Amino acid sequence: MSMEDFRALSAQWLEASLPERYSYNFTWMGRPIIQYPQDIVALQELIWRIRPQVVLETGIAHGGSLVFSASMLHLLGGEGRVIGIDIDIRSDNRIALDEHPMRSRIDLVEGSSISPETVKQIHEMVGGRSPLLLILDSNHTHAHVLQELRAYSGLVGAGSYVVVLDTVVEVLPGHTYPDRPWGPGNSPGSAVEAFLAENDRFEVDSELESRIAITTAPGGYLRCIRD
């Protein structure tokens, strides 16, 4: 089988897995993480390589991704922290996170990730600490993701990454998410394309994407190549 055929088969498998809600099968240290295992492994590689002082994540859901990042920072040692932003942190998820052993490394911010107030608050919380790894996984519309990229990518320095999840929406059939406002042409993938056209500090890490093969973030692993 050629590499091209393998990638096509991987894409076919991922599309078939979506109706099965495959990403909901997994937890990290007891909290639902709602990610594909391949992306979890890729993020692990990036955190270990970058050794960030801050992991900034938009979109909290059940908190599994925050716990994952916090556990990786704990293994690294030091004072690294995770900042999670969500427009609505549900009380049951907040309680579960408050009771979690990794809570001491996690800061929760409730509010729209693109509101001027939240953006200002996050920049003040980061306070120039570096390296920073940015993971975007909240509202998946083009306008929202592009605003997130513009608001927070300046916090990411050379050698670190912005990871935009669910860029795969751009290449899925338009009927995949009938109850959501996003779809092809209005997705994280289209936002990344627009962002890269206006910002030459980032490039797609196609080597990482090729290795993991199955990913919700095709073209979404963005390496910062200059400060």
Side-chain angles (χ1 to χ4, degrees), residues 24 38 46 49 55 59 63 65 102 135 147 193:
Y24 287 78
Q38 291 83 353
L46 292 183
R49 184 196 316 166
V55 178
S65 183
M102 289 294 109
I135 303 171
Q147 284 186 258
E193 183 177 355

Side-chain angles (χ1 to χ4, degrees), residues 56-59 84-88 109-123 134-139 144-145 147-152:
L56 174 59
E57 303 190 21
T58 66
I85 312 169
D86 203 294
I87 197 167
D88 179 22
V109 175
E110 187 167 52
S112 170
S113 59
I114 60 174
S115 73
E117 297 79 12
T118 301
V119 173
K120 181 175 184 291
Q121 179 182 357
I122 295 303
H123 279 256
L134 175 61
I135 303 171
L136 303 181
D137 191 18
S138 60
N139 184 314
H144 188 93
V145 176
Q147 284 186 258
E148 287 183 328
L149 285 164
R150 290 169 174 169
Y152 301 116

Side-chain angles (χ1 to χ4, degrees), residues 49-68:
R49 184 196 316 166
I50 297 164
R51 299 178 181 269
Q53 289 298 301
V54 178
V55 178
L56 174 59
E57 303 190 21
T58 66
I60 290 175
H62 298 283
S65 183
L66 299 183
V67 169
F68 163 76

Side-chain angles (χ1 to χ4, degrees), residues 96-210:
L97 286 172
D98 284 344
E99 296 174 348
H100 200 278
M102 289 294 109
R103 181 64 172 90
S104 62
R105 285 189 180 268
I106 298 172
D107 298 310
L108 301 176
V109 175
E110 187 167 52
S112 170
S113 59
I114 60 174
S115 73
E117 297 79 12
T118 301
V119 173
K120 181 175 184 291
Q121 179 182 357
I122 295 303
H123 279 256
E124 290 174 349
M125 291 175 69
V126 171
R129 283 179 291 171
S130 181
L132 180 142
L133 171 64
L134 175 61
I135 303 171
L136 303 181
D137 191 18
S138 60
N139 184 314
H140 295 325
T141 62
H142 176 104
H144 188 93
V145 176
L146 185 56
Q147 284 186 258
E148 287 183 328
L149 285 164
R150 290 169 174 169
Y152 301 116
S153 62
L155 298 171
V156 179
S160 193
Y161 281 69
V162 175
V163 179
V164 184
L165 295 169
D166 287 312
T167 51
V168 72
V169 172
E170 184 65 18
V171 297
L172 292 171
H175 58 76
T176 304
Y177 299 101
D179 59 339
R180 303 291 185 177
W182 47 80
N186 180 25
S187 74
S190 63
V192 166
E193 183 177 355
F195 174 71
L196 292 176
E198 68 182 31
N199 191 315
D200 63 359
R201 295 180 56 237
F202 294 86
E203 65 180 12
V204 175
D205 187 345
S206 55
E207 187 274 336
L208 175 59
E209 180 183 324
S210 178

Side-chain angles (χ1 to χ4, degrees), residues 43-52 68 72 76 133:
L43 289 168
Q44 171 271 144
E45 287 192 15
L46 292 183
I47 292 173
W48 196 258
R49 184 196 316 166
I50 297 164
R51 299 178 181 269
F68 163 76
M72 288 298 301
L76 285 169
L133 171 64

